[in-house]
Amino acid sequence: CSLNIVDPLIQDGKINEEVIKKYNISKDYIINKIRTCGYSSEKDIFLALDLKDSFFIVPKTSKNKK
């Protein structure tokens, strides 16, 4: 089940607090979604979106890590 939220839930390894408040989403929901996709932590993710048909993740790489 995906929510179709166009605002990033995770940006540069951090859960976007403003977005989870805006859409009334729990951190546990996000953590469960990323674990289902094979990631252990939000710190491993550069960008995450919860789109209508899927949970879209761009992992951190050497090119997008700060």
Side-chain angles (χ1 to χ4, degrees), residues 18-48:
E18 290 178 25
V19 173
I20 66 171
K21 286 178 187 174
K22 178 179 176 181
Y23 292 100
N24 196 27
I25 303 169
S26 71
K27 286 184 180 181
D28 288 337
Y29 171 81
I30 296 171
I31 297 299
N32 287 334
K33 287 293 242 182
I34 64 173
R35 287 188 178 155
T36 299
C37 294
Y39 297 90
S40 59
S41 169
E42 69 273 13
K43 293 178 176 103
D44 300 324
I45 298 171
F46 182 70
L47 179 72

Side-chain angles (χ1 to χ4, degrees), residues 2-17:
S2 294
L3 300 173
N4 200 28
I5 297 172
V6 296
D7 296 316
L9 296 175
I10 299 174
Q11 285 181 289
D12 197 23
K14 297 176 188 162
I15 293 175
N16 189 332
E17 298 288 338

Side-chain angles (χ1 to χ4, degrees), residues 39 44-47 57-62 64-65:
Y39 297 90
D44 300 324
I45 298 171
F46 182 70
L47 179 72
I57 292 177
V58 176
K60 280 194 169 186
T61 66
S62 59
N64 62 25
K65 283 185 181 178

